[in-house]
Amino acid sequence: MQSSLLSRSILLALSMVSAGGAIAADASTADTPDGGTHAAPTQLDAMLVTGTRASNRTQFETLAPVDVFTKEDIKSVDSTDLKDVLAQLVPSFVVQRLPMADGQVFVRPATLRGLSPDQTLVLVNGRRFHRSALLGNRGAQAADLAQIPTSAIKRIEVLRDGASAQYGSDAIAGVINIILEDSPGTEITAGYSQYAQGDGASRDFSARTGWALGDYGSLALFAESSNSDATSRTRQRPDAIAFQAAHPDLEVPNPVQRWGQPELESRRVGFNLKANASDTLEVYAFGLYSHSDGVSDFNWRNPDTTTGAYRTTSIFPGWDLRSIYPVGFSPQYGNVQNDLQLVGGLRGEITPKLRWDVSASYGRNAIDYSLDNAINASLGPDSPTSFDLGRLTQTEKNANVDFNYEWDVAALAKPVNVAFGAEFRQETYEVRAGDPASYAVGPGAAAGLEANANGAPGFSDTQAGTWDQRSHAAYVDMEVPLGERWSIGAAGRYEDFSSFGNTVDGKLSARFAITPDVALRGTFSTGFRAPTPAQLNTTSTTQGLDTRTLQIFTSGRLSPNDPLAQLLGAKPLTPEESRTASLGLTWRTDMGLSGSVDVYRIKLSDRFSQSASFAIPAGTPNPLGYTSVNYFTNDFDTTTSGVDVVGNYLRDLGTGRMTLTLAYNFNRTRVDNGSTSVATNETQRVLFEDRLPEHKGSFTGTWDVGAWSLMARVRYYGAWTDSTGNATGDIYQRFGDMTFLDLAAGYRINEHHSLRMGVDNVFDRYPDEATFQASRGLIYSRNAPYDTDGANVYAQYRLTF
């Protein structure tokens, strides 16, 4: 039934011959330059700044597909996390929850077109947004969209095409450009939500106010607060049940550990300033600051089986961990994050046809980790139970000089747009060591007591350090209108990195208007993603639970420069490189229909990943007690193929107006060849090919009538595969497709006050249970590409003036 529902939705959209924006608009007609008529402006005619440097380019006229989402689209999703908003609005955008996955619980990986999180470039007001300090499990280091307040956003432009030749590193899957609000007026919103099971309550508050600074500019201020309680979709672990039966005199918590969303508090503030210094000079600046504090559970330590911690020894006479944790312990993993982005610049014109823009930016993301309710067993009675694990800091400095020239060519009816410029960028990564006790190898290690903070070893003094990387770039970007029907574009970029050398990338684009309202477009481009200082230089240690043996295992990820890694085959990292081709059809009609269909193919070489895990060679020093180690490597090549269909239909219905929108993506990635992942690590191949759904889509209907606004959205996710991540071999499980229904209703009390209520996942649907994880109490896979907490009910009050 789910597949049938999706098929009917797709057929409906294709029969309407519709797609291409977030919302359509007026369906009347307007004169064309040649005296004919075409559909009046729709959302496809929204003026864009992403994917083009021409000042007069609209969404319908772009040479590559760009989606535009307004603030009303953003408000239609009940979340203050921008990742969740984009996951519902962008068909090829997927974000996972990842409970109990170390730092990824708080900095969740998000992918566009199934590629790595750091293969999508994030911009704010057209300027590069810095990366998070966290490296994900497969080594991705991406910008954290959750740091950007959703209430501050005017619109979002998503370029679904490779754009490294235009923007530099990372823009392989596409570009997400967040445009901040700059209009006058005040808006205050208070919201509350809670899951149907009674947990996960979230209390959200946001305020935005803006002023017109006379005739000279504008200033907008933003503030946002969110407090979310934890959720738990957990059963008692079988070994905890057995432990309780064996020790009836003890009271074992039920459950002993919690699988679900973390407890999280966040605060975000910002500003957006534009001021005219003269008729030809504008000063601009914007800034965003975010602070968050969260706590998540880790795996339970069973006193009867966790011999590495619960062991008595003559080294510590009379000391037994049972005196501290008689029923075991589940470490509590803490994350405090501070994020800052500041941008300032000047822009103006030398002549009416030659414009310039000079800007500088500073971005910093710092994450402090802590661990409570734990132990360093090797220190025995001298061990604390709470640890400062250390800090990760990513800092970026950018300087840009950009020019845009409208070149009049006698043979052409319209000017050629020529953009050129240069960029300097510096990335710095810092690891601050944690408490010595968090990584100490104490005297009890000689008797088999485990070293390090049990659950998440702290960053040691040998791991600590500061590393940086600098790059210089120059680019040129041209768009040439060859006539009423043809437009072509070409871009080239040269960039030199201090860590590995230079790279040259290019892009060719073309658009042919079959009629004034139907056009073909296509692109071919090369791209790259440069390895970061963190990926080049850092090491990490993680612990997990083997679902077969129920024993804690410790794995290490080494720097490619580490002597042990080089002994095992590590080589210096080089950039990932891509070749992208796309072909699309876009259209609009005077019947309220608009849309596009775009097919694409992305070939990636030297993809970045972690190597297979290796046992420590006999006789090699192993002070951190690694069960296995791996390292970052340029590992393999892939080909990603897909199609995007986005459709829109608008018409009057009764006394109101109805809008229907379909967004669908098919995306398939296949590993072509490689050394480590393909030859010796089947897990990596399966995860890259099958870890995300190949099909994802949504069908949304809205009806605005009088003071009421009604919305229904169907979300569809195709089948996908998960694995256990065990230390000694993986177990795979295939999960079927899922369909969710969301409903919402808004009521405008008067021009200042409005209410909105809704339910996400109305039928309280859950995916198949993760049978291979049942041994540790998990019910639903933590790697699911959708929320697995069930129905969520919410209400919002909004005041505007």
Side-chain angles (χ1 to χ4, degrees):
M1 177 169 178
Q2 297 165 1
S3 299
S4 176
L5 175 60
L6 177 66
S7 300
R8 289 197 299 270
S9 299
I10 296 172
L11 290 174
L12 173 61
L14 293 177
S15 67
M16 296 189 308
V17 197
S18 61
I23 300 178
D26 197 333
S28 60
T29 60
D31 292 336
T32 64
D34 58 6
T37 62
H38 66 76
T42 69
Q43 181 66 17
L44 289 178
D45 292 316
M47 297 299 292
L48 300 180
V49 296
T50 309
T52 178
R53 289 186 167 91
S55 60
N56 60 349
R57 185 70 68 188
T58 68
Q59 189 179 359
F60 179 68
E61 296 169 332
T62 56
L63 280 64
V66 180
D67 290 329
V68 178
F69 302 101
T70 68
K71 59 183 178 182
E72 292 305 319
D73 299 320
I74 298 167
K75 292 174 184 176
S76 72
V77 180
D78 176 47
S79 179
T80 59
D81 189 327
L82 185 54
K83 291 180 183 178
D84 291 330
V85 173
L86 289 170
Q88 292 204 24
L89 297 179
V90 180
S92 62
F93 191 89
V94 176
V95 62
Q96 298 165 288
R97 283 289 185 188
L98 299 179
M100 211 180 295
D102 297 350
Q104 291 188 121
V105 174
F106 306 100
V107 184
R108 296 180 295 148
T111 66
L112 187 68
R113 289 184 164 178
L115 302 184
S116 295
D118 54 3
Q119 290 171 344
T120 299
L121 177 63
V122 176
L123 308 175
V124 176
N125 282 353
R127 298 303 177 200
R128 179 183 287 265
F129 190 73
H130 59 275
R131 307 176 193 278
S132 167
L134 175 73
L135 274 70
N137 285 345
R138 284 180 288 275
Q141 187 184 6
D144 184 10
L145 287 161
Q147 303 303 319
I148 302 172
T150 56
S151 59
I153 300 174
K154 182 178 183 177
R155 70 178 186 276
I156 302 173
E157 297 178 0
V158 180
L159 170 64
R160 294 181 276 111
D161 194 43
S164 290
Q166 297 165 291
Y167 297 103
S169 178
D170 305 350
I172 292 177
V175 179
I176 298 174
N177 190 7
I178 312 300
I179 309 299
L180 299 179
E181 185 63 78
D182 58 1
S183 60
T186 298
E187 181 174 281
I188 298 173
T189 302
Y192 179 85
S193 65
Q194 183 173 304
Y195 285 94
Q197 290 201 19
D199 58 4
S202 179
R203 295 155 291 276
D204 307 312
F205 176 84
S206 66
R208 178 193 63 82
T209 187
W211 302 272
L213 304 178
D215 297 328
Y216 300 101
S218 63
L219 172 64
L221 302 177
F222 324 111
E224 194 170 274
S225 171
S226 179
N227 295 301
S228 300
D229 296 340
T231 62
S232 179
R233 301 295 175 268
T234 316
R235 293 193 182 105
Q236 183 68 304
R237 286 172 48 152
D239 60 334
I241 296 174
F243 179 81
Q244 178 70 86
H247 303 276
D249 55 318
L250 299 176
E251 186 174 344
V252 180
N254 186 6
V256 289
Q257 69 186 61
R258 180 185 53 80
W259 291 97
Q261 299 178 37
E263 180 181 337
L264 184 63
E265 296 183 5
S266 60
R267 307 288 184 269
R268 307 181 187 100
V269 295
F271 73 94
N272 189 21
L273 170 68
K274 299 177 182 178
N276 298 322
S278 70
D279 291 340
T280 59
L281 178 64
E282 181 184 72
V283 180
Y284 64 90
F286 64 88
L288 299 171
Y289 173 75
S290 174
H291 171 83
S292 61
D293 190 346
V295 178
S296 175
D297 277 24
F298 269 5
N299 285 298
W300 177 63
R301 274 61 173 163
N302 186 333
D304 286 350
T305 59
T306 309
T307 56
Y310 286 89
R311 176 184 302 221
T312 58
T313 170
S314 60
I315 297 176
F316 303 121
W319 184 78
D320 188 339
L321 187 57
R322 293 175 188 263
S323 63
I324 302 175
Y325 300 124
V327 295
F329 62 99
S330 297
Q332 301 292 293
Y333 190 62
N335 175 298
V336 175
Q337 193 165 178
N338 290 282
D339 191 276
L340 174 67
Q341 177 87 1
L342 291 172
V343 176
L346 299 169
R347 54 184 165 221
E349 60 181 42
I350 300 173
T351 71
K353 292 186 176 293
L354 178 59
R355 298 181 299 277
W356 59 271
D357 191 325
V358 177
S359 66
S361 67
Y362 174 86
R364 181 178 183 270
N365 179 262
I367 307 175
D368 290 274
Y369 294 108
S370 63
L371 193 71
D372 295 326
N373 199 49
I375 197 76
N376 182 337
S378 71
L379 295 176
D382 294 328
S383 172
T385 57
S386 296
F387 302 86
D388 170 12
L389 302 180
R391 173 186 295 170
L392 302 177
T393 305
Q394 170 79 8
T395 304
E396 298 181 26
K397 300 174 183 177
N398 282 50
N400 295 80
V401 180
D402 302 289
F403 296 90
N404 202 84
Y405 179 58
E406 293 182 12
W407 179 23
D408 291 319
V409 178
L412 300 176
K414 297 180 180 179
V416 176
N417 195 86
V418 182
F420 56 96
E423 180 181 35
F424 168 77
R425 185 164 79 253
Q426 179 179 354
E427 292 188 52
T428 303
Y429 195 75
E430 180 182 0
V431 178
R432 178 184 62 78
D435 293 337
S438 70
Y439 58 85
V441 180
L449 288 171
E450 292 174 343
N452 315 309
N454 197 301
F459 304 118
S460 69
D461 51 359
T462 59
Q463 292 175 299
T466 302
W467 305 270
D468 67 6
Q469 175 176 269
R470 296 168 302 283
S471 66
H472 301 79
Y475 73 89
V476 62
D477 188 351
M478 301 180 63
E479 294 187 25
V480 184
L482 297 179
E484 291 297 323
R485 291 177 178 268
W486 277 104
S487 296
I488 60 173
R493 186 182 183 95
Y494 170 85
E495 193 151 0
D496 183 76
F497 287 81
S498 60
S499 299
F500 56 83
N502 60 69
T503 179
V504 178
D505 290 280
K507 182 172 184 176
L508 297 174
S509 309
R511 181 181 184 276
F512 176 72
I514 302 172
T515 73
D517 298 313
V518 180
L520 284 171
R521 61 191 179 197
T523 68
F524 176 80
S525 64
T526 61
F528 73 103
R529 192 204 62 80
T532 68
Q535 295 164 340
L536 289 165
N537 298 285
T538 63
T539 63
S540 70
T541 302
T542 59
Q543 289 186 328
L545 182 76
D546 192 300
T547 58
R548 289 169 168 161
T549 66
L550 295 182
Q551 294 297 306
I552 302 298
F553 62 86
T554 303
S555 59
R557 192 266 302 155
L558 306 179
S559 161
N561 302 322
D562 187 282
L564 176 57
Q566 293 178 344
L567 175 67
L568 297 172
K571 298 179 180 179
L573 294 175
T574 60
E576 298 174 308
E577 297 183 344
S578 67
R579 288 174 292 161
T580 301
S582 68
L583 180 65
L585 177 69
T586 182
W587 60 88
R588 57 187 180 183
T589 76
D590 57 3
M591 300 170 57
L593 305 174
S594 61
S596 65
V597 174
D598 293 274
V599 296
Y600 57 88
R601 187 177 181 87
I602 306 169
K603 292 190 71 68
L604 266 163
S605 59
D606 295 327
R607 284 198 69 166
F608 185 78
S609 181
Q610 290 181 187
S611 71
S613 294
F614 299 93
I616 305 298
T620 303
N622 188 17
L624 294 179
Y626 290 133
T627 309
S628 61
V629 296
N630 54 42
Y631 49 83
F632 290 146
T633 180
N634 294 102
D635 195 25
F636 58 103
D637 304 336
T638 62
T639 298
T640 298
S641 303
V643 58
D644 286 320
V645 180
V646 186
N648 215 358
Y649 175 59
L650 186 149
R651 62 165 295 169
D652 292 333
L653 182 64
T655 59
R657 174 160 288 194
M658 178 187 70
T659 302
L660 300 177
T661 302
L662 175 94
Y664 167 76
N665 171 255
F666 168 79
N667 192 86
R668 173 176 292 168
T669 295
R670 290 293 178 261
V671 174
D672 298 328
N673 56 67
S675 55
T676 304
S677 287
V678 175
T680 62
N681 193 344
E682 176 70 4
T683 298
Q684 290 292 332
R685 185 192 66 78
V686 170
L687 291 180
F688 270 95
E689 292 188 348
D690 301 322
R691 65 190 170 90
L692 296 175
E694 290 186 346
H695 301 270
K696 180 174 179 279
S698 66
F699 186 74
T700 305
T702 62
W703 184 33
D704 297 312
V705 53
W708 288 93
S709 177
L710 308 177
M711 186 209 75
R713 177 181 287 129
V714 177
R715 292 179 284 128
Y716 175 83
Y717 299 81
W720 59 286
T721 298
D722 196 12
S723 72
T724 59
N726 280 336
T728 55
D730 291 279
I731 306 171
Y732 301 98
Q733 182 175 347
R734 186 72 171 168
F735 292 89
D737 57 356
M738 287 290 294
T739 303
F740 302 99
L741 173 65
D742 308 329
L743 297 175
Y747 180 72
R748 188 176 65 255
I749 301 171
N750 54 43
E751 61 177 332
H752 299 299
H753 305 274
S754 61
L755 297 173
R756 179 181 173 87
M757 300 183 66
V759 182
D760 290 342
N761 188 3
V762 171
F763 296 115
D764 198 25
R765 300 203 61 210
Y766 294 87
D768 297 335
E769 294 190 5
T771 56
F772 58 72
Q773 299 281 9
S775 60
R776 52 178 171 173
L778 181 141
I779 302 177
Y780 309 109
S781 171
R782 64 176 179 172
N783 297 313
Y786 36 70
D787 189 348
T788 59
D789 286 332
N792 187 52
V793 182
Y794 63 91
Q796 297 173 345
Y797 163 76
R798 181 171 293 120
L799 170 66
T800 58
F801 55 91

